[in-house]
Amino acid sequence: MHGFQCLVLAVLLHCASSAPNRQTPLQSSIVQVDGRRPLQGRFLHVTDFHPDRFYEVYTSTAEDAACHRGQGPAGMYGAETSECDSPISLINETMTWIEHNLKDKIDFVIWTGDSARHDNDEDIPRNAAQVVGSNEMMVQKMFEVFGKHNGDEDDDDPNNDYTIPIIPSFGNNDILPHNVMAKGPNTWTRTYSRIWRQFIPEAQKHQFEQGGWYNVEVIPNKLAVFSLNTLYFADNNAAVDGCASPSEPGYRQLEWMRIQLQFMRDRGVKAILTGHQPPVRQDAKTLWDETCWQKYTLWLRQYRDVIVSSHFGHFNYDHFLLQDFEDLDEDTKHGRMEYSSADNAPISATEDDDLHTSVSSDYWLELRQTWSDLPKPPKSMAWPEAESKVDVAQKKKKKSAAKKERRKRKTFLNKIGGTHAERFAASFISASVVPNLFPTIRVFEYNTTGLELPLAHETAETPPLAQKGWLNENDLDARKKDKKHKFKIPDPPSKSAPPGPAYSPQTLSLLRYTQYYANITHINNDFLSSESTSDVSAQGWNEGKHKGKKPHNKDHEPQPKKFHFQVHYDTRDDDVYQLPDLTMPRLVDLARRIGEFKPVKDDEMARPVSEELLSSELGLADKKKHKKKHGKPGKHTKRNLPWYTFMRRAFVETKPIEEIEEQFGH
């Protein structure tokens, strides 16, 4: 090694010893030090690859075949809208497209789990070697795209092998049996400590083996990404029992999260939260144990000055959630939580645990109903553009009328938690790569204002696990008999602190995201018609949109078109969403507009959407088909367009608008 290189290495090693452990740090878009990458102000979210080495082209999508055997419509790059998993060709082409189109335009990658196939074939049951091998393959794919390839992969610093940080999370299918993970350390946490050794900071390896959670400072001293192990929050993980008892790994994970978020607050660092299973809490669908949801949501409220955003996968459908702090129990707010022992619960997945994450129409209708109850700003307000319109007209009104308007505004702001809607938190849920719909990836853009100066290293140590808030085994034994456990409530933001980046535009606030999808019906080039005949429901197996169509023979040579992702939509440059940024006021307003749906037959005052707007939203072909059936732009009134747009995007354009209207237009 040349003398200058040795000097540079020595300086870097010195800096590393005095700074928090992390993967290769990023520098700003103006200053480059030692040839490191400039900030781009974007990050990539990928989720639910589900690679399947047993997938074969032109096999059956039926439940007893799973694209592994028989004759059927399974295409070169997947069997879209079916329950089949991803062919390796789809994985390869997806990563190649990312390399050619995104690699040099992003600062880090969040990768939210499920990198193994589903256990959906009785003739080829999953085993541990397959699950591990699949995840090792995905790590290799990540290295092929984002690795440095400088020959030092076998040195003593595994965190220095990638050009940008990559933050993976446990998915419920990344273990065996699926959904079930016992308290750590266990075989799976140890295994992934090895598989993900290049991603997990060296100082957190031991902690990771205890429970599978960690964080990475993707922008040193500015931004950290937390990888949460949502298996310990999941309601269907029969090996654990919620987050109330100090003996539970869910409790321990939330204590770690509390300590780390406080540590970030003290240092002026912001945080992005990531995980696999989102905090869905509905009558139609619930994924988290209630005690975990309560504590996690309380943490979101108390650390709303620190948390930038939350990102999840698992569901395959593209949408977002609002968590309402008014749903917190009074006991939770006072640091108390009921706990009922489930020591005798069997440690196995139940038969009715869905292998896939299809949801019934009730889930979407309940979500819409919840959003329909969101407060509506009075007409005199331009919120969220501003607190109020220019009050020139108000001055001409009688004093009593002006007073009434001010009272309406105050009432509205009180209901939503002030100008910045601090009554809520949001969770972004990305659709998946596995083509249960169309393969999808997402790129977020964030505000880099204020990050132009060089990022100085600070002397800061990660708080030890034994810090106040953690309990030793004697403490646990003494409290096992308690039926109501007490826990430490995090401090809220300082009264003098400004709203956090999730609530008010500032450095690190999310500005937009661009959704990309691959139309593999077109790319596979096997069927001329793209009309859907599927009925995606929460019950049973879905054979996909090509069910019943005459398949090619197995000896037919596939003739796919060039694989590519295309822009589905951009939240900012969008005629319907119209989001200047992704702060809470914007998201709450969008949810309210989606929830304002009203069936056309009951909406006599509604006017149909212009054909120009409908054409831009549906595509010209869909518009013509829609017009032919209904004679006019159907039920797409201007008022209802946000709802129908939201649902089309949830299903990644795989469900024709007629089906959406029929299923969700009431």
Side-chain angles (χ1 to χ4, degrees), residues 86 89 150 182 330 354 386 435 588 603 608 610 659:
S86 301
S89 58
N150 58 2
E330 286 303 313
D354 292 334
V588 171
D603 192 358
S610 69
E659 289 185 21

Side-chain angles (χ1 to χ4, degrees), residues 136-204:
E136 289 176 332
M137 180 198 75
M138 286 308 310
V139 169
Q140 178 59 32
K141 296 297 178 185
M142 291 290 175
F143 183 75
E144 290 171 4
V145 176
F146 298 109
K148 287 185 175 179
H149 305 288
N150 58 2
D152 71 348
E153 290 80 19
D154 296 324
D155 64 11
D156 294 332
D157 183 8
N159 298 143
N160 195 37
D161 295 338
Y162 284 75
T163 58
I164 60 174
I166 296 174
I167 304 92
S169 304
F170 272 112
N172 62 307
N173 285 286
D174 292 325
I175 56 175
L176 202 70
H178 74 284
N179 296 333
V180 181
M181 177 180 276
K183 178 181 177 181
N186 57 51
T187 299
W188 291 108
T189 58
R190 294 188 185 100
T191 297
Y192 281 92
S193 178
R194 174 184 61 80
I195 296 174
W196 294 342
R197 63 189 178 278
Q198 295 161 308
F199 308 134
I200 304 166
E202 192 67 28
Q204 298 184 51

